[in-house]
Amino acid sequence: MKKIYIPIVSMVLLMTMNTSCKKFVDYNPHEDFKVTDQDYLKTETDYRTMVISAYTPLQWLNQMVPVGDIASDNSVAGGEAASDVLSLQQIDDYTLTPVNSTLTDLWQVSYEGINRTNYLTQYKDKNPAGTQVTFAGKDALYGEVSFLRAYYYFSLVRMFGDVPLFTDKRLEVSDSKTLKRNPKADVYKQIEADLNSAIAVLPASQDQKGRITKYAAQAMLGKVYLYENKFDEAKTVLESVISSGAYTLVPDFASMFLAAGENGPESVFEIQYSNNSPYYNWGGVTRGQGNYSVQQCGIRGLNGSADMPYAAGWSTNLPTQNLAAAYSTGDKRKAITTFDIEAYKTANPSFNITYQVAPYKNTGLYNGKYLPRKGETSGQVELNYLNNFRTLRYAEVLLMAAEAENRAGSPNDTKAQGYLNQVRARAFGDANHNITATGAALKQAIWDERRLELAMEGDRFFDLVRTGQAATKITGFKTGKNEVFPVPQQEVDISGLTQNPGY
């Protein structure tokens, strides 16, 4: 099965929680359902269905990707005007306040995911009725739950720093003002524990594409270790992924971002999206099963002949000329990452392309990795693109391993060069662009390569912050403030949380 389909009506967390206020989780229960905890987790099917519902908020986190580039030197907010998608404009301009709809949504979605995983953890041994439900594969299933909770907490801690940490049960309304922000070191400790638990029980492969594997958990743990500057630990766990032989680089870089390239040999973990969902809601544009951000980055007003493959969008999240200039001549990644519509129009005169020439903050470039294409959406077109996010790719595993080897207590620059140059050889199609630098120069080369390889995939801002480069690379960035985003104001007002410095 290509996608993970989410049965909305089975999500116990959406149906049993009090809706009197919005704290941590964006509740939207169906009032017609009169159910309690006692109605759930009675059978193996119930547990497996509930775990699928714990995956659902991954889809709703899709604005993490544009935010990670718009907040950096990789892209600008774009759009129709200065007032278009104001929350992203504020992130782009560094005029952020704690009242920001995108950041509030990401906070709520992450805690929705945590609540769902905590609910499952709470009733792992005995269900709400006190009955033990055992079945083959239950431990491995809970490995997926552990990974998911780690992923949701990682999303929060790298965006907001210190965040409320709770793991024993789902959050109830009565818990509103009892939780405080925990130090990020404690949050990272829990993330590590969850990922190690997942690694211990997950299989090396899954029959259903998109489900989490042991190697996805190892790759994620390696990434977490880099954020904690634990390079010796990172190189060990990442080497396990590399030496497994489970993944290879796709020869044609651009091909992996096509529909036919989803869940391919380079895919370590992809967030699955579908265009088959009947759920569309303009009041909650991220809440369907389709990938809303694809529509955002499309070319505004695009038209052309029937055989022209691309569909129109809203010209949001536009790559910068600064990013385009970072690619060397011959780098095959440039054309797809910083898609030049004028060059494409000139090269394909038979398509008779027209488009809106000057979106707001026009750069002339578009995110070709996730550019909307005809036939990849249905129903409510804008909210229903099927494009998966390539969340962890083997190329990133190689680059993370290269950084870990270079920055370890006993560096191995030869090994680091080898990992780095595998990625560069794919980019240029030869070995003539291999990096031979060592030490600090090699470290910078690896960081620069992460930008080129992973641009427009949502990591750039967080990379610049964790490596201490943000203040020199990002216009408007203030050291001591902008390393994290503001805690949503409603969490300060309702839940009594403290605010991040400077906001």
Short mmCIF file of all heavy atoms in Angstrom, two decimals, residues 117-171:
data_model
loop_
_atom_site.label_atom_id
_atom_site.label_comp_id
_atom_site.label_asym_id
_atom_site.label_seq_id
_atom_site.Cartn_x
_atom_site.Cartn_y
_atom_site.Cartn_z
N THR A 117 0.21 9.75 21.14
CA THR A 117 1.20 8.73 21.50
C THR A 117 1.17 8.44 22.99
O THR A 117 1.34 7.28 23.41
CB THR A 117 2.62 9.15 21.06
OG1 THR A 117 2.94 10.42 21.65
CG2 THR A 117 2.71 9.24 19.55
N ASN A 118 0.95 9.45 23.81
CA ASN A 118 0.86 9.23 25.25
C ASN A 118 -0.34 8.38 25.62
O ASN A 118 -0.29 7.57 26.55
CB ASN A 118 0.79 10.57 25.99
CG ASN A 118 2.15 11.23 26.15
OD1 ASN A 118 3.18 10.65 25.79
ND2 ASN A 118 2.16 12.43 26.67
N TYR A 119 -1.44 8.59 24.93
CA TYR A 119 -2.63 7.78 25.18
C TYR A 119 -2.32 6.30 24.95
O TYR A 119 -2.66 5.43 25.75
CB TYR A 119 -3.77 8.23 24.28
CG TYR A 119 -5.07 7.47 24.50
CD1 TYR A 119 -5.96 7.87 25.49
CD2 TYR A 119 -5.38 6.36 23.73
CE1 TYR A 119 -7.14 7.17 25.70
CE2 TYR A 119 -6.56 5.66 23.94
CZ TYR A 119 -7.44 6.06 24.92
OH TYR A 119 -8.59 5.36 25.13
N LEU A 120 -1.65 6.03 23.85
CA LEU A 120 -1.27 4.65 23.55
C LEU A 120 -0.28 4.11 24.57
O LEU A 120 -0.37 2.94 24.98
CB LEU A 120 -0.69 4.57 22.14
CG LEU A 120 -1.72 4.60 21.02
CD1 LEU A 120 -1.09 5.07 19.71
CD2 LEU A 120 -2.34 3.21 20.85
N THR A 121 0.67 4.93 24.98
CA THR A 121 1.64 4.50 25.98
C THR A 121 0.97 4.22 27.31
O THR A 121 1.30 3.24 28.01
CB THR A 121 2.72 5.59 26.15
OG1 THR A 121 3.35 5.83 24.89
CG2 THR A 121 3.77 5.15 27.16
N GLN A 122 0.01 5.05 27.67
CA GLN A 122 -0.71 4.91 28.92
C GLN A 122 -1.41 3.55 29.02
O GLN A 122 -1.50 2.95 30.09
CB GLN A 122 -1.73 6.04 29.03
CG GLN A 122 -2.55 6.09 30.30
CD GLN A 122 -3.51 7.27 30.29
OE1 GLN A 122 -3.50 8.10 29.37
NE2 GLN A 122 -4.33 7.37 31.32
N TYR A 123 -1.87 3.06 27.87
CA TYR A 123 -2.65 1.82 27.87
C TYR A 123 -1.94 0.70 27.10
O TYR A 123 -2.59 -0.17 26.53
CB TYR A 123 -4.04 2.08 27.29
CG TYR A 123 -4.86 3.02 28.15
CD1 TYR A 123 -5.21 4.28 27.69
CD2 TYR A 123 -5.24 2.64 29.44
CE1 TYR A 123 -5.94 5.14 28.49
CE2 TYR A 123 -5.97 3.49 30.24
CZ TYR A 123 -6.32 4.75 29.77
OH TYR A 123 -7.04 5.59 30.57
N LYS A 124 -0.64 0.73 27.13
CA LYS A 124 0.11 -0.33 26.44
C LYS A 124 -0.09 -1.69 27.09
O LYS A 124 -0.37 -2.68 26.42
CB LYS A 124 1.61 0.02 26.42
CG LYS A 124 2.46 -1.07 25.76
CD LYS A 124 3.94 -0.72 25.80
CE LYS A 124 4.76 -1.84 25.16
NZ LYS A 124 6.22 -1.56 25.21
N ASP A 125 0.06 -1.75 28.40
CA ASP A 125 -0.02 -3.03 29.10
C ASP A 125 -1.45 -3.47 29.34
O ASP A 125 -1.79 -4.65 29.18
CB ASP A 125 0.74 -2.94 30.42
CG ASP A 125 2.22 -2.69 30.22
OD1 ASP A 125 2.77 -3.22 29.23
OD2 ASP A 125 2.81 -1.95 31.02
N LYS A 126 -2.31 -2.54 29.74
CA LYS A 126 -3.72 -2.83 29.95
C LYS A 126 -4.55 -1.72 29.32
O LYS A 126 -4.19 -0.54 29.40
CB LYS A 126 -4.03 -2.94 31.44
CG LYS A 126 -3.42 -4.15 32.11
CD LYS A 126 -3.85 -4.25 33.57
CE LYS A 126 -3.25 -5.50 34.23
NZ LYS A 126 -3.69 -5.62 35.64
N ASN A 127 -5.65 -2.10 28.70
CA ASN A 127 -6.51 -1.11 28.05
C ASN A 127 -7.30 -0.33 29.10
O ASN A 127 -7.21 -0.63 30.31
CB ASN A 127 -7.41 -1.78 27.02
CG ASN A 127 -8.46 -2.69 27.64
OD1 ASN A 127 -8.71 -2.68 28.84
ND2 ASN A 127 -9.09 -3.50 26.80
N PRO A 128 -8.06 0.69 28.70
CA PRO A 128 -8.78 1.51 29.68
C PRO A 128 -9.71 0.72 30.59
O PRO A 128 -10.01 1.16 31.70
CB PRO A 128 -9.55 2.49 28.80
CG PRO A 128 -8.72 2.62 27.58
CD PRO A 128 -8.18 1.24 27.34
N ALA A 129 -10.18 -0.45 30.13
CA ALA A 129 -11.06 -1.27 30.96
C ALA A 129 -10.28 -2.18 31.90
O ALA A 129 -10.87 -2.94 32.68
CB ALA A 129 -11.96 -2.12 30.06
N GLY A 130 -8.94 -2.11 31.85
CA GLY A 130 -8.11 -2.91 32.73
C GLY A 130 -7.78 -4.29 32.18
O GLY A 130 -7.24 -5.13 32.91
N THR A 131 -8.06 -4.53 30.92
CA THR A 131 -7.81 -5.83 30.30
C THR A 131 -6.52 -5.80 29.51
O THR A 131 -6.24 -4.82 28.80
CB THR A 131 -8.97 -6.22 29.36
OG1 THR A 131 -10.19 -6.22 30.10
CG2 THR A 131 -8.74 -7.58 28.74
N GLN A 132 -5.73 -6.84 29.62
CA GLN A 132 -4.50 -6.93 28.85
C GLN A 132 -4.80 -7.49 27.47
O GLN A 132 -5.41 -8.55 27.34
CB GLN A 132 -3.48 -7.81 29.56
CG GLN A 132 -2.10 -7.80 28.92
CD GLN A 132 -1.09 -8.56 29.73
OE1 GLN A 132 -1.42 -9.53 30.41
NE2 GLN A 132 0.17 -8.14 29.67
N VAL A 133 -4.39 -6.76 26.45
CA VAL A 133 -4.59 -7.20 25.06
C VAL A 133 -3.21 -7.52 24.48
O VAL A 133 -2.38 -6.63 24.31
CB VAL A 133 -5.29 -6.11 24.21
CG1 VAL A 133 -5.49 -6.60 22.78
CG2 VAL A 133 -6.61 -5.72 24.84
N THR A 134 -2.97 -8.79 24.20
CA THR A 134 -1.68 -9.20 23.66
C THR A 134 -1.85 -9.69 22.23
O THR A 134 -2.88 -10.27 21.87
CB THR A 134 -1.06 -10.31 24.51
OG1 THR A 134 -1.95 -11.44 24.52
CG2 THR A 134 -0.82 -9.85 25.93
N PHE A 135 -0.84 -9.44 21.43
CA PHE A 135 -0.86 -9.93 20.05
C PHE A 135 0.55 -9.87 19.49
O PHE A 135 1.40 -9.10 19.97
CB PHE A 135 -1.82 -9.12 19.17
CG PHE A 135 -1.60 -7.62 19.19
CD1 PHE A 135 -0.72 -7.00 18.31
CD2 PHE A 135 -2.29 -6.84 20.10
CE1 PHE A 135 -0.54 -5.63 18.34
CE2 PHE A 135 -2.11 -5.45 20.13
CZ PHE A 135 -1.25 -4.84 19.24
N ALA A 136 0.82 -10.69 18.49
CA ALA A 136 2.14 -10.73 17.87
C ALA A 136 2.44 -9.39 17.21
O ALA A 136 1.60 -8.84 16.51
CB ALA A 136 2.19 -11.85 16.83
N GLY A 137 3.64 -8.88 17.45
CA GLY A 137 4.04 -7.63 16.83
C GLY A 137 3.68 -6.39 17.63
O GLY A 137 3.91 -5.27 17.17
N LYS A 138 3.16 -6.56 18.83
CA LYS A 138 2.75 -5.39 19.61
C LYS A 138 3.95 -4.53 20.02
O LYS A 138 3.89 -3.30 19.96
CB LYS A 138 1.97 -5.83 20.85
CG LYS A 138 1.37 -4.66 21.65
CD LYS A 138 0.53 -5.14 22.82
CE LYS A 138 -0.06 -3.98 23.58
NZ LYS A 138 -0.88 -4.42 24.75
N ASP A 139 5.05 -5.17 20.42
CA ASP A 139 6.23 -4.40 20.81
C ASP A 139 6.75 -3.57 19.63
O ASP A 139 7.12 -2.40 19.80
CB ASP A 139 7.32 -5.33 21.32
CG ASP A 139 7.02 -5.85 22.72
OD1 ASP A 139 6.17 -5.27 23.40
OD2 ASP A 139 7.65 -6.86 23.11
N ALA A 140 6.81 -4.17 18.46
CA ALA A 140 7.28 -3.44 17.28
C ALA A 140 6.34 -2.28 16.95
O ALA A 140 6.78 -1.20 16.55
CB ALA A 140 7.39 -4.38 16.08
N LEU A 141 5.04 -2.52 17.13
CA LEU A 141 4.06 -1.46 16.89
C LEU A 141 4.32 -0.29 17.83
O LEU A 141 4.24 0.88 17.42
CB LEU A 141 2.65 -2.01 17.09
CG LEU A 141 1.49 -1.10 16.68
CD1 LEU A 141 1.47 -0.89 15.17
CD2 LEU A 141 0.16 -1.67 17.16
N TYR A 142 4.65 -0.59 19.05
CA TYR A 142 4.95 0.47 20.01
C TYR A 142 6.30 1.14 19.73
O TYR A 142 6.55 2.25 20.21
CB TYR A 142 4.85 -0.05 21.44
CG TYR A 142 3.47 0.17 22.00
CD1 TYR A 142 2.45 -0.74 21.74
CD2 TYR A 142 3.16 1.32 22.73
CE1 TYR A 142 1.16 -0.53 22.21
CE2 TYR A 142 1.88 1.54 23.20
CZ TYR A 142 0.88 0.63 22.95
OH TYR A 142 -0.39 0.87 23.41
N GLY A 143 7.15 0.48 18.98
CA GLY A 143 8.35 1.17 18.52
C GLY A 143 8.00 2.34 17.63
O GLY A 143 8.65 3.41 17.68
N GLU A 144 6.98 2.18 16.80
CA GLU A 144 6.50 3.28 15.97
C GLU A 144 5.98 4.42 16.84
O GLU A 144 6.22 5.60 16.55
CB GLU A 144 5.42 2.79 15.02
CG GLU A 144 5.88 1.74 14.02
CD GLU A 144 4.75 1.21 13.15
OE1 GLU A 144 4.08 2.03 12.49
OE2 GLU A 144 4.53 -0.01 13.15
N VAL A 145 5.25 4.08 17.89
CA VAL A 145 4.72 5.09 18.80
C VAL A 145 5.85 5.87 19.45
O VAL A 145 5.80 7.11 19.55
CB VAL A 145 3.83 4.42 19.87
CG1 VAL A 145 3.36 5.45 20.91
CG2 VAL A 145 2.63 3.73 19.23
N SER A 146 6.88 5.17 19.89
CA SER A 146 8.03 5.84 20.52
C SER A 146 8.71 6.80 19.55
O SER A 146 9.09 7.92 19.92
CB SER A 146 9.03 4.81 21.03
OG SER A 146 8.47 4.03 22.07
N PHE A 147 8.91 6.35 18.30
CA PHE A 147 9.51 7.23 17.29
C PHE A 147 8.66 8.47 17.10
O PHE A 147 9.18 9.60 17.04
CB PHE A 147 9.66 6.50 15.97
CG PHE A 147 10.17 7.36 14.83
CD1 PHE A 147 11.50 7.34 14.46
CD2 PHE A 147 9.31 8.21 14.13
CE1 PHE A 147 11.98 8.13 13.42
CE2 PHE A 147 9.78 9.02 13.10
CZ PHE A 147 11.11 8.97 12.74
N LEU A 148 7.37 8.29 16.96
CA LEU A 148 6.48 9.41 16.69
C LEU A 148 6.52 10.44 17.82
O LEU A 148 6.59 11.64 17.57
CB LEU A 148 5.05 8.92 16.47
CG LEU A 148 4.82 8.15 15.17
CD1 LEU A 148 3.46 7.47 15.19
CD2 LEU A 148 4.93 9.08 13.97
N ARG A 149 6.50 9.97 19.05
CA ARG A 149 6.57 10.93 20.16
C ARG A 149 7.90 11.68 20.13
O ARG A 149 7.94 12.91 20.35
CB ARG A 149 6.39 10.22 21.50
CG ARG A 149 6.35 11.21 22.66
CD ARG A 149 5.84 10.58 23.93
NE ARG A 149 6.75 9.56 24.46
CZ ARG A 149 6.48 8.82 25.53
NH1 ARG A 149 5.34 8.96 26.17
NH2 ARG A 149 7.36 7.91 25.95
N ALA A 150 8.98 10.97 19.84
CA ALA A 150 10.28 11.63 19.73
C ALA A 150 10.27 12.67 18.63
O ALA A 150 10.80 13.78 18.79
CB ALA A 150 11.37 10.59 19.47
N TYR A 151 9.65 12.36 17.51
CA TYR A 151 9.61 13.29 16.38
C TYR A 151 8.82 14.54 16.75
O TYR A 151 9.24 15.66 16.43
CB TYR A 151 8.99 12.61 15.16
CG TYR A 151 9.07 13.44 13.90
CD1 TYR A 151 10.16 13.33 13.05
CD2 TYR A 151 8.07 14.35 13.57
CE1 TYR A 151 10.25 14.10 11.90
CE2 TYR A 151 8.16 15.14 12.43
CZ TYR A 151 9.24 15.00 11.60
OH TYR A 151 9.34 15.79 10.46
N TYR A 152 7.70 14.37 17.42
CA TYR A 152 6.89 15.53 17.79
C TYR A 152 7.63 16.41 18.80
O TYR A 152 7.62 17.64 18.70
CB TYR A 152 5.54 15.08 18.37
CG TYR A 152 4.64 14.40 17.36
CD1 TYR A 152 4.04 13.17 17.64
CD2 TYR A 152 4.39 14.96 16.12
CE1 TYR A 152 3.23 12.53 16.72
CE2 TYR A 152 3.58 14.34 15.18
CZ TYR A 152 3.00 13.12 15.49
OH TYR A 152 2.19 12.50 14.57
N TYR A 153 8.30 15.79 19.76
CA TYR A 153 9.06 16.59 20.72
C TYR A 153 10.27 17.26 20.06
O TYR A 153 10.63 18.39 20.42
CB TYR A 153 9.51 15.73 21.91
CG TYR A 153 8.52 15.74 23.05
CD1 TYR A 153 7.97 14.56 23.53
CD2 TYR A 153 8.13 16.94 23.66
CE1 TYR A 153 7.05 14.57 24.58
CE2 TYR A 153 7.22 16.96 24.69
CZ TYR A 153 6.68 15.78 25.15
OH TYR A 153 5.77 15.79 26.19
N PHE A 154 10.90 16.58 19.12
CA PHE A 154 12.03 17.19 18.42
C PHE A 154 11.56 18.41 17.63
O PHE A 154 12.25 19.44 17.59
CB PHE A 154 12.67 16.16 17.48
CG PHE A 154 13.88 16.67 16.73
CD1 PHE A 154 15.00 17.11 17.40
CD2 PHE A 154 13.89 16.70 15.34
CE1 PHE A 154 16.12 17.58 16.72
CE2 PHE A 154 14.99 17.17 14.64
CZ PHE A 154 16.11 17.61 15.32
N SER A 155 10.40 18.32 17.00
CA SER A 155 9.84 19.45 16.28
C SER A 155 9.66 20.64 17.22
O SER A 155 9.96 21.78 16.87
CB SER A 155 8.50 19.08 15.64
OG SER A 155 8.65 18.04 14.71
N LEU A 156 9.17 20.38 18.41
CA LEU A 156 8.93 21.45 19.39
C LEU A 156 10.22 22.04 19.94
O LEU A 156 10.38 23.26 19.99
CB LEU A 156 8.09 20.90 20.55
CG LEU A 156 6.61 20.69 20.28
CD1 LEU A 156 6.00 19.79 21.36
CD2 LEU A 156 5.87 22.02 20.22
N VAL A 157 11.15 21.18 20.35
CA VAL A 157 12.33 21.68 21.06
C VAL A 157 13.23 22.48 20.14
O VAL A 157 13.85 23.46 20.57
CB VAL A 157 13.09 20.52 21.74
CG1 VAL A 157 13.88 19.70 20.74
CG2 VAL A 157 13.99 21.03 22.85
N ARG A 158 13.31 22.12 18.87
CA ARG A 158 14.18 22.91 18.00
C ARG A 158 13.51 24.19 17.54
O ARG A 158 14.19 25.12 17.11
CB ARG A 158 14.68 22.08 16.83
CG ARG A 158 13.69 21.70 15.77
CD ARG A 158 14.42 20.96 14.66
NE ARG A 158 13.56 20.70 13.52
CZ ARG A 158 14.00 20.39 12.31
NH1 ARG A 158 15.31 20.31 12.08
NH2 ARG A 158 13.17 20.16 11.32
N MET A 159 12.18 24.28 17.67
CA MET A 159 11.49 25.52 17.34
C MET A 159 11.40 26.48 18.53
O MET A 159 11.56 27.68 18.38
CB MET A 159 10.08 25.23 16.83
CG MET A 159 10.02 24.62 15.45
SD MET A 159 8.35 24.65 14.78
CE MET A 159 8.20 26.39 14.41
N PHE A 160 11.10 25.91 19.72
CA PHE A 160 10.76 26.76 20.86
C PHE A 160 11.72 26.63 22.04
O PHE A 160 11.60 27.37 23.01
CB PHE A 160 9.34 26.42 21.34
CG PHE A 160 8.29 26.62 20.29
CD1 PHE A 160 7.74 25.54 19.62
CD2 PHE A 160 7.86 27.89 19.95
CE1 PHE A 160 6.77 25.71 18.64
CE2 PHE A 160 6.88 28.09 18.97
CZ PHE A 160 6.34 27.00 18.31
N GLY A 161 12.68 25.71 21.98
CA GLY A 161 13.60 25.54 23.10
C GLY A 161 12.94 24.75 24.22
O GLY A 161 12.43 23.65 24.01
N ASP A 162 12.93 25.30 25.43
CA ASP A 162 12.29 24.65 26.56
C ASP A 162 10.79 24.53 26.30
O ASP A 162 10.13 25.52 25.94
CB ASP A 162 12.50 25.46 27.84
CG ASP A 162 13.97 25.65 28.19
OD1 ASP A 162 14.82 24.95 27.61
OD2 ASP A 162 14.26 26.51 29.05
N VAL A 163 10.25 23.34 26.49
CA VAL A 163 8.82 23.12 26.27
C VAL A 163 8.28 22.17 27.34
O VAL A 163 9.04 21.41 27.93
CB VAL A 163 8.53 22.53 24.87
CG1 VAL A 163 8.89 23.52 23.77
CG2 VAL A 163 9.25 21.19 24.67
N PRO A 164 6.97 22.21 27.60
CA PRO A 164 6.40 21.27 28.57
C PRO A 164 6.62 19.83 28.13
O PRO A 164 6.39 19.48 26.98
CB PRO A 164 4.91 21.62 28.57
CG PRO A 164 4.87 23.07 28.16
CD PRO A 164 5.97 23.20 27.15
N LEU A 165 7.08 19.01 29.05
CA LEU A 165 7.38 17.61 28.78
C LEU A 165 6.49 16.73 29.65
O LEU A 165 6.50 16.84 30.88
CB LEU A 165 8.86 17.33 29.10
CG LEU A 165 9.34 15.89 29.02
CD1 LEU A 165 9.26 15.37 27.58
CD2 LEU A 165 10.76 15.78 29.56
N PHE A 166 5.70 15.88 29.02
CA PHE A 166 4.88 14.91 29.76
C PHE A 166 4.79 13.65 28.91
O PHE A 166 4.65 13.71 27.69
CB PHE A 166 3.49 15.47 30.08
CG PHE A 166 2.72 15.97 28.90
CD1 PHE A 166 1.71 15.20 28.32
CD2 PHE A 166 2.98 17.23 28.35
CE1 PHE A 166 1.00 15.67 27.22
CE2 PHE A 166 2.26 17.70 27.25
CZ PHE A 166 1.27 16.92 26.69
N THR A 167 4.90 12.51 29.55
CA THR A 167 4.99 11.25 28.80
C THR A 167 4.11 10.13 29.36
O THR A 167 3.94 9.11 28.70
CB THR A 167 6.45 10.73 28.81
OG1 THR A 167 6.87 10.54 30.16
CG2 THR A 167 7.38 11.71 28.12
N ASP A 168 3.57 10.30 30.57
CA ASP A 168 2.89 9.18 31.20
C ASP A 168 1.44 9.03 30.77
O ASP A 168 0.86 7.95 30.86
CB ASP A 168 2.96 9.30 32.73
CG ASP A 168 2.40 10.63 33.23
OD1 ASP A 168 2.35 11.59 32.44
OD2 ASP A 168 2.03 10.70 34.43
N LYS A 169 0.83 10.09 30.29
CA LYS A 169 -0.57 10.04 29.90
C LYS A 169 -0.89 11.20 28.99
O LYS A 169 -0.09 12.12 28.82
CB LYS A 169 -1.47 10.09 31.14
CG LYS A 169 -1.41 11.42 31.93
CD LYS A 169 -2.26 11.36 33.17
CE LYS A 169 -2.25 12.68 33.93
NZ LYS A 169 -2.97 13.75 33.18
N ARG A 170 -2.09 11.15 28.39
CA ARG A 170 -2.53 12.27 27.57
C ARG A 170 -2.85 13.46 28.48
O ARG A 170 -3.20 13.30 29.66
CB ARG A 170 -3.75 11.89 26.75
CG ARG A 170 -4.99 11.67 27.57
CD ARG A 170 -6.19 11.30 26.71
NE ARG A 170 -7.38 11.21 27.54
CZ ARG A 170 -8.55 10.81 27.10
NH1 ARG A 170 -8.70 10.46 25.83
NH2 ARG A 170 -9.60 10.76 27.90
N LEU A 171 -2.76 14.64 27.93
CA LEU A 171 -3.05 15.86 28.66
C LEU A 171 -4.55 16.06 28.78
O LEU A 171 -5.26 16.02 27.78
CB LEU A 171 -2.42 17.06 27.95
CG LEU A 171 -2.56 18.41 28.64
CD1 LEU A 171 -1.70 18.44 29.89
CD2 LEU A 171 -2.14 19.52 27.68
#
